[in-house]
Structures are given as structure tokens and as C-alpha cells.
Amino acid sequence: MILDGKCPSGPIEKTWDKHRFDLKLVNPANKRKYKVIMVGTGLAGGAAAASLGELGYNVEAFCYQDSPRRAHSIAAQGGINAAKAYPNDGDSIYRLFYDTIKGGDFRAREADVWRLAQVSNNIIDQCVAQGVPFARDYAGYLDNRSFGGAQVSRTFFARGQTGQQLLLGAYSALSRQIKAGSVKMYNRTEMLDLIVIDGVAKGITIRDMVTGEIRAHMGDAVCLATGGYVNVFYLSTNAMGCSVTANWKAHKKGAFFANPCYTQIHPTCIPQTGDHQSKLTLMSESLRNDGRCWVPKKKEDCGKHPNDVPEDDRDYYLERKYPSFGNLAPRDIASRAAKAQCDDGRGVGPGGRGVYLDFATAIKRVSEGTIKERYGNLFEMYEKITDENGYKRPMRMYPAPHYAMGGLWVDYNLMSNVPGLFVLGEANFSVHGANRLGASALMQGLADGYFVIPYTIGGYLAGIKPGDYSLDNPEVKKSIDEVHANIKKMFSLKGKKTVSEIYRALGKVMWENVGMARSAASLKTALAEIPKLRDEFWNNVNITGDGGEFNQQLENAGRVADFLEFAELLSKDALVREESCGGHFRVEHQMPDGEAKRNDADFCHVAAWEFKGVGKEPELHKEPLKFDNVHLAVRSYK
């Protein structure tokens, strides 16, 4: 099937404005007749629930945390992009659009990316009005800093805790609507199935994580804003609760999964210290504004204290390889470059899996006090974890799984191929292509929540009858029964392994074979090993307790079971895509200098997969990508 993204035609500068005008409207008196299910209350979901509640819709919002304030959006550090051009350094909406298309290695839709760039400025105004404490310069104006993949300063920030401050802004707006009664909030609930009636999404089946109750919630539309799936690698920068479950349940009910092989490895994370770890810690990309990446030129210097390595014996490899962008090369390129130094035997720290991020030059230039003002909390966090002072000696960094560019397929209206199912933020695939530029995740989440879905969901709801659903529908009972049966099946297993053992084994298979560098051989290895792990899970795992109570073992088991199915699709997608682009690096497809080699003739499309059954071949559907405003070119940051 050739998919239609329903992108508007005409001059790209007018597409979003024209599309908004063409969308059908729901009049204010009728909005209160409609109910919207919102799964996830991070930046995308929280902003969307607040906005839809403010418009007058009835919203039921769900999160697995004890409060929306604990959504993983809170962990974002460095900033949020917008094309306000305050520094007067040549930025514009078009340049943000261009940088995002190029940064994604020409694997994103032009219309979607243009809209993202266009509404970016509105996001900053909205957040300032909410009281988000963005950094300001000496004159009191909002300050900006640079991020990877751009040669302008367009990133707004609040030290190293931008995600937290933005989430508190969205949470305050959401709390207002909860108080007003337009949003009903369900904390500590996990979506375990999507209810589809006559081909249309009408509700979800959830488990109350405190009492164990299984119940259904129905609505006129369902929105998923449930984040990404990189915990399939086990170790990642994501919160341990982040999973693919909501997306995967929707996928099994007919929603296409787009570009699952597009995963981002972040170049600046604290290196792993041993098998005891259950997650990794991100250090913001903003540190590369002032920090310089280097490794010793000579292998014998790797064991020395970094301050004892002479300047002439240091290889500032990003500045050497990419002089135009230097340490602010995009994430996929910076990650592969760090791996290449370590593979060459010049890595530092335990196991030789680390590179230095050095602030000595910046401290000498602007003073330690200035660096503290910019990144102080990040240095404190680094010292608490490593017991090393980043001001006195270079930090040690190594790439780690961080973000999912792939997600459920959506059209321009953010609706999946299942009518009534909308997907927001990191849970969809739409704007980042094969590599997300730093500081664009927060931008996408808030753009989708505040400025896109309030328009596009109205266009859908205006065409349907409100309240056309019932808890008495046979599909509701069927969904609840299936969830109960799956839980019962898990508790019937009386094997010898824990869920964590299987999960760690899956993560090892994924990282070693489907990580920063992939090959046909490694991907075939993964596709051979994953079914074995899945079989072992369903025959030799042991889950204690029961389902009618608070049971984290059960929660983890359900999420790992979904990862064991999803991992096969991710690996399959990576094997089929015979090219290198962005974060998807196939070693067979590279330029003589080691850079990614795209195949535009055969793979300039979105790969959207249809579920056909566990262990069965999924069906591939394609959406061709057209580039009328940014011409396809070799992506270079040199």
C-alpha cells in the first residue's frame, strides 16, 4: 500500500495556515459533548490535555506515574529550539526548517517540519506567559545558546533543567483544567490495550497499578502521547518506566509502525560502570557549546590523568573532522565519531569506553563562574555520580541510547491509519527523520500539544456523532478479557529466571547487533536470538505475587514482553533498509571517509509496518517522501 500523508499542497509557507482554515470546526457549545482519551501527560500529552480542556472538550487523561509532574519530559536538560532570531545571527523559520530536514538526513516530511518551525515561536511566547524561567541575558532579554547541527543560536534554556521547567508550565495549565473539571486525571494507570470498534479507535483498557483493577474507558477519540521505545536496549537515558507498550498495543490493533529502526544514540552520556546499572545518565548536548571532545593521540596515554596529557598529544577529533561545526556536530555523527576513537584503542576510562569533554579552554576564556551559571546543576550531577570534579578535570562521556525518531505512522493531522487514533510527540514518527537535532524534542512535544492537535482533532470530531460508543459493546468485553487472560498467563509461568535476566539479555543482543553500527550479519543474528529470548520468557520466567494488587514485577513483565515482540520489528526494519541515514548506520553503506551513504533511489520513503501476528512477517507499506523546498543532497557538516 502507498500511504498518503495528507500533506497540504501549495507554497509551503502557507500550508499550515491554509490547512487550519480548511479544517472543519466544532462550535463551543458542542465541544462539551465530545470526550477525548489522552494517554500520557508529559509535554505533548499534558499540553494537549490542557489545551483541549481549555477549548471545552471533556478529557480523560492517564499516566502511569503518581503525578504528571514525573513524566520523563522532566529529564530533558539542554533547551528548546525556536526561530525567533534574537541573537541576530541569520536565523529564520526557513533556516530552522532546513536544519531539521538536513539533520534528519532527508527522511522527514517537508510539510510537517515546516509547521514545526513555524509554530516554534508561539511555543516560547506561551511558555513565557506561563512563567517558565528561561535564562536571560544582561539586558533582561531571553538568552539563546547553540546546539548540534546548527550554526546559529536558537536554543532557549533554563540552565540544565529546561524539560523540568517546561513540564511544570504544562502541568500548571493541566492542573487548572483538572480544577475546572474539563480534565479528569487518572494517575497510576497503565494502558494495556486499544479498543477498536468497527475499525475506529474508541477507547482503551487500563490496569489500575495500585489496586490491580482492569477496566475500560471510552471516548470519541484516543490520543497517545506515550514517548519513545529506546529502553528496548535495556540501558538508556530514559526513565525505567518508559516502554513501547501503548504504541505496541495500538500496533497490534492495526496502527502502522513507522521507521522503528530510527533510534538515536546520544553522544554525551556518563559511561557505564558495570553490570549493576539499570539506566544511564544523560549529560546535556549544551555542554558541547563550551566543552571540547578529545582523546589521546597515543594509546599509551589513555591511562594517564587527562591533565597530564600535553596539548599537542590530544586529538580534538570533532574539530579535526568537522571544522565547520566542530563540537556541535549532530548527535549521530558525534556518537559514531566517539565510538570510532574507542574502537581505535584510544578510549579512556574503564574498558576504554569513554572520551573526554574538556572545559579548561572555556573556563580560561569566560571564567569558572560563568560556566557555573550556564551549566552548574549538570556539573553537580556529574560529580555526584562519578565523584569527579568536571571543572578541575575533563568529564568522561560515551554514547548511549536516548531517543526514538520512529513511532506510529500519522498523517499531517497527527492521526494514525486507524481513524480516531491520534499520536503526539515522541510516540509518532513525523518530524525528525533519521536523526533528531538537539533541543527539538521539547519543541515537537509542545508544538503537537499546544498548537497542532487542538486544530486537527477538531476537524475529525466535527465529522462524527458525539458519544457514539458504549461500555456494553462486545469489543470492550473482549479487550478486558484478553488483558485478564494475558495477566493470568504470566502468573501461570513458574520458571527459574527473573524478568530482569531476560530483559538484560535482550538489551545485550540489541546493543551489540542493532546499536550504533549495524550490518546484515549482525541484524540476522539479532533476528535469530530475539525469538529464542521470547520463547524463554514465556516458558522459563517467574513472576511472583498476583494481579489484584500493586505488583511491579507484573508491570515490568508486561513491558518486557512487548519489547521482545517489538525488537524483532525494529531489527527487521533495519535489515530491510539497505542504506545508512542519520542514526541508522549500516556498515555496508558508507562513504570512503566513513560517513553515512544514503540510497535515495530506493529508500526515500517512510517504512510503515502492519502487524500480522507474533513471529509472522509484517507487511511493509510505504509513503514516498518528496522534497520540493530542500533539495536532496549529501549531508555534510565538514
Side-chain angles (χ1 to χ4, degrees), residues 224 246-247 250-251 255-258 406-410 416 421 423 427-429:
L224 299 186
N247 270 10
H251 177 58
F256 295 165
F257 216 116
L408 292 187
W409 183 88
V410 292
S416 73
L421 177 64
V423 191
N428 74 36
F429 86 100

Side-chain angles (χ1 to χ4, degrees), residues 16-31:
W16 176 229
D17 295 331
K18 181 180 183 298
H19 187 72
R20 283 187 298 171
F21 180 79
D22 291 340
L23 285 168
K24 293 180 180 178
L25 300 176
V26 180
N27 83 57
N30 285 340
K31 286 189 172 96

Side-chain angles (χ1 to χ4, degrees), residues 284-500:
S284 171
E285 180 178 305
S286 63
L287 291 169
R288 289 195 281 141
N289 268 289
D290 290 299
R292 302 176 70 192
C293 298
W294 66 273
V295 291
K297 291 180 179 178
K298 296 180 288 188
K299 297 178 182 179
E300 55 266 30
D301 286 344
C302 291
K304 291 182 179 178
H305 190 290
N307 294 341
D308 293 335
V309 178
E311 188 72 16
D312 289 345
D313 291 336
R314 301 179 178 188
D315 179 9
Y316 293 93
Y317 58 90
L318 288 176
E319 297 170 34
R320 169 175 56 82
K321 294 182 69 176
Y322 309 101
S324 294
F325 284 75
N327 294 293
L328 287 174
R331 290 177 176 178
D332 58 323
I333 287 173
S335 291
R336 284 198 296 275
K339 180 178 184 296
Q341 312 315 307
C342 296
D343 290 348
D344 189 40
R346 294 183 295 124
V348 299
R353 289 286 148 184
V355 299
Y356 288 126
L357 186 62
D358 196 336
F359 289 84
T361 302
I363 289 172
K364 185 176 181 180
R365 185 180 70 249
V366 299
S367 81
E368 184 175 318
T370 299
I371 298 299
K372 282 183 178 179
E373 288 177 8
R374 294 174 180 172
Y375 319 103
N377 61 306
L378 296 173
F379 277 75
E380 292 167 11
M381 183 169 67
Y382 179 82
E383 186 167 6
K384 284 182 179 179
I385 293 172
T386 66
D387 197 29
E388 295 177 6
N389 186 327
Y391 299 109
K392 304 303 180 185
R393 61 177 291 165
M395 294 179 174
R396 289 177 296 107
M397 297 290 149
Y398 194 69
H402 177 61
Y403 189 87
M405 283 80 68
L408 292 187
W409 183 88
V410 292
D411 62 18
Y412 188 71
N413 291 320
L414 302 186
M415 189 163 74
S416 73
N417 60 293
V418 177
L421 177 64
F422 293 81
V423 191
L424 287 63
E426 189 179 358
N428 74 36
F429 86 100
S430 66
V431 293
H432 301 302
N435 173 65
R436 176 176 67 79
L437 291 183
S440 287
L442 306 184
M443 177 173 60
Q444 184 205 1
L446 292 182
D448 286 357
Y450 284 140
F451 298 108
V452 179
I453 199 65
Y455 289 98
T456 60
I457 202 170
Y460 169 75
L461 294 174
I464 68 170
K465 179 183 176 182
D468 188 19
Y469 50 82
S470 170
L471 285 170
D472 296 327
N473 191 288
E475 289 297 326
V476 177
K477 183 179 186 303
K478 180 182 176 183
S479 176
I480 292 175
D481 288 346
E482 287 176 352
V483 171
H484 274 296
N486 193 53
I487 291 174
K488 184 179 180 180
K489 181 180 178 182
M490 287 186 181
F491 282 119
S492 71
L493 305 173
K494 300 300 177 184
K496 297 180 180 179
K497 286 202 170 182
T498 65
V499 171
S500 293

Side-chain angles (χ1 to χ4, degrees), residues 265-285:
I265 311 298
H266 197 293
T268 47
C269 302
I270 298 177
Q272 181 181 356
T273 57
D275 293 337
H276 63 281
Q277 282 185 254
S278 55
K279 76 177 298 295
L280 298 172
T281 303
L282 168 71
M283 298 301 290
S284 171
E285 180 178 305

Side-chain angles (χ1 to χ4, degrees), residues 500-570:
S500 293
E501 286 179 281
I502 304 290
Y503 191 11
R504 284 178 185 272
L506 173 65
K508 185 176 181 181
V509 168
M510 294 301 291
W511 180 245
E512 291 181 354
N513 298 287
V514 201
M516 271 188 281
R518 306 160 175 180
S519 67
S522 73
L523 292 167
K524 288 175 182 176
T525 297
L527 288 167
E529 293 299 319
I530 293 166
K532 295 177 185 176
L533 288 172
R534 190 166 62 240
D535 184 66
E536 185 169 21
F537 177 93
W538 288 110
N539 287 283
N540 195 31
V541 83
N542 193 342
I543 303 163
T544 59
D546 63 63
E549 62 183 3
F550 176 72
N551 190 334
Q552 288 187 305
Q553 278 203 53
L554 174 61
E555 297 162 21
N556 294 337
R559 295 165 190 166
V560 171
D562 292 328
F563 276 137
L564 285 164
E565 295 175 3
F566 167 70
E568 198 165 11
L569 180 66
L570 193 163

